[in-house]
């Protein structure tokens, strides 16, 4: 893997040089996107097309600024967090952290607040683990009467957000407890996904089969494992809010630093 990465350094350098020609003013916060591993992810996501990867990164920087992604904090999403519909716990056998999603707890009121809350969760996982993130999607109690409203819109929005702004960040999507009606929802969603993303979706028909993908001690009891984790809203909320204060203070610091000639290594 290291040798393969080393063999891509020339292409990565070309992308960096192209970016610096297109964008001459950088903050230290934005310079994170000039790191070699980040440039490589965008190149892979764009089929090693330097021009496409360059435009993709510039669009992502614009999106992050417009949506204030680096200053998104959990205190803005207490309502959604309290439901326990999304949280991080355990890892799969590939070593990727698991974002557990339980759509049955999703309020049926459109998209307001949901996408920023999802973004906060995804960013939090990246901040903690700095790699790919796998999902465990529990379809138990999936509200099918709501299927043609919020869930489709949410799935479409998240699919586009990941493809455009988080290339090579998705590990495997494990879908469990999916009744046969879920096939119609998947048929619609799969039309928006790139083949490489579709290949990451794994339908698990029996919970016992999950242990082929996730070690028992990493898997919650509810899903056939031995992990006794229970979502504790108050305890987790206080922990995340305290961590957010540190992270946001650092992001504000970096955002106020202008970097005239970004170069490796990026000592920020």
């Amino acid at each position: 893997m290291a040798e393969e990465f080393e063999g891509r350094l020339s292409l990565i350098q070309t992308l960096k040089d192209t970016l610096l020609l297109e964008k001459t003013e950088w903050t230290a916060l934005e310079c994170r996107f000039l790191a070699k591993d980040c440039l490589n992810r965008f190149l892979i996501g764009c089929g090693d097309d330097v021009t496409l990867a360059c435009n993709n990164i510039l669009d992502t920087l614009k999106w992050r600024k417009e949506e204030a992604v680096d200053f998104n904090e959990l205190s803005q999403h207490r309502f959604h967090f309290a439901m326990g519909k999304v949280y991080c716990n355990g890892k799969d056998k590939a070593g990727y952290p698991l974002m557990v999603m339980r759509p049955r707890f999703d309020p049926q009121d459109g998209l307001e607040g949901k996408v920023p809350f999802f973004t906060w969760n995804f960013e939090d996982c990246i901040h903690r683990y700095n790699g790919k993130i796998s999902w465990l999607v529990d379809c138990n109690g999936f509200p099918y009467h709501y299927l043609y409203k919020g869930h489709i819109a949410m799935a479409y929005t998240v699919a586009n957000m990941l493809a455009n702004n988080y290339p090579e960040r998705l590990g495997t999507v494990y879908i469990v407890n999916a009744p046969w009606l879920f096939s119609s929802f998947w048929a619609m969603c799969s039309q928006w996904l790139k083949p490489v993303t579709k290949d990451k979706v794994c339908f698990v028909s029996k919970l016992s089969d999950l242990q082929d993908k996730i070690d028992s001690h990493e898997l919650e009891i509810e899903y056939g494992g031995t992990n006794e984790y229970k979502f504790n809203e108050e305890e987790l909320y206080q922990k995340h809010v305290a961590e957010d204060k540190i992270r946001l203070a650092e992001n504000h610091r970096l955002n106020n630093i202008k970097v005239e000639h970004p170069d490796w290594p990026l000592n920020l």
Side-chain angles (χ1 to χ4, degrees):
M1 187 68 71
E3 291 181 0
E4 181 180 345
F5 184 82
E6 290 296 320
R8 296 177 57 80
L9 287 179
S10 176
L11 188 62
I12 292 170
Q13 180 67 55
T14 299
L15 174 56
K16 178 174 178 283
D17 293 342
T18 304
L19 277 166
L20 294 181
L21 287 173
E22 292 293 326
K23 178 177 168 62
T24 56
E25 296 182 358
W26 293 78
T27 68
L29 186 62
E30 292 173 324
C31 283
R32 292 173 173 176
F33 282 79
L34 294 173
K36 296 176 186 177
D37 60 338
C38 182
L39 295 173
N40 191 46
R41 281 196 302 273
F42 276 88
L43 279 168
I44 293 172
C46 293
D48 284 345
D49 184 319
V50 171
T51 300
L52 189 60
C54 175
N55 292 334
N56 196 174
I57 291 175
L58 294 176
D59 287 343
T60 294
L61 290 173
K62 180 181 178 181
W63 169 76
R64 295 181 72 89
K65 185 175 182 178
E66 290 175 348
E67 299 298 325
V69 174
D70 292 300
F71 308 103
N72 185 8
E73 53 187 315
L74 183 58
S75 60
Q76 301 168 347
H77 313 295
R78 182 72 184 263
F79 171 73
H80 291 283
F81 182 77
M83 297 174 183
K85 61 181 180 178
V86 183
Y87 60 89
C88 188
N89 180 46
K91 295 182 180 181
D92 62 14
K93 288 188 176 181
Y96 303 145
L98 288 170
M99 273 182 66
V100 180
M101 304 183 191
R102 304 183 290 182
R104 66 183 179 273
F105 296 126
D106 192 37
Q108 303 172 19
D109 59 355
L111 288 180
E112 185 177 356
K114 295 180 183 179
V115 176
F117 175 62
F118 177 88
T119 305
W120 178 88
N121 277 281
F122 207 65
E123 287 278 328
D124 182 63
C125 278
I126 291 173
H127 181 71
R128 292 174 185 278
Y129 302 103
N130 192 31
K132 293 187 177 184
I133 314 296
S134 288
W135 299 353
L136 176 60
V137 184
D138 179 5
C139 296
N140 183 34
F142 189 90
Y144 288 96
H145 61 283
Y146 180 46
L147 181 60
Y148 295 99
K149 296 180 182 178
H151 283 116
I152 292 177
M154 182 68 179
Y156 179 80
T157 302
V158 168
N160 277 294
M161 183 178 73
L162 291 177
N164 296 330
N165 304 302
Y166 297 98
E168 294 298 300
R169 282 296 195 185
L170 185 61
T172 301
V173 179
Y174 306 101
I175 298 180
V176 301
N177 296 324
W180 67 271
L181 282 172
F182 188 83
S183 60
S184 61
F185 180 67
W186 171 244
M188 286 181 282
C189 295
S190 60
Q191 298 177 44
W192 315 321
L193 304 178
K194 295 179 180 180
V196 66
T197 304
K198 287 184 186 180
D199 290 343
K200 295 179 179 181
V201 177
C202 175
F203 284 89
V204 182
S205 57
K206 296 184 298 183
L207 289 180
S208 57
D209 293 339
L210 258 183
Q211 295 190 35
D212 293 334
K213 313 291 184 181
I214 305 169
D215 287 326
S216 179
H217 70 277
E218 298 282 4
L219 194 60
E220 294 173 34
I221 292 175
E222 181 179 357
Y223 304 116
T226 60
N227 189 321
E228 297 181 356
Y229 177 86
K230 295 291 183 183
F231 178 78
N232 185 317
E233 186 266 334
E234 183 60 31
E235 180 180 317
L236 275 179
Y237 179 78
Q238 296 301 332
K239 176 176 179 289
H240 284 312
V241 166
E243 292 170 346
D244 271 358
K245 288 181 179 179
I246 297 172
R247 178 177 58 83
L248 264 65
E250 177 65 1
N251 286 351
H252 279 293
R253 183 186 75 83
L254 293 173
N255 196 47
N256 289 323
I257 299 175
K258 306 301 180 183
V259 182
E260 294 185 7
H261 305 289
D263 204 356
W264 295 322
L266 299 172
N267 298 314
L268 307 178

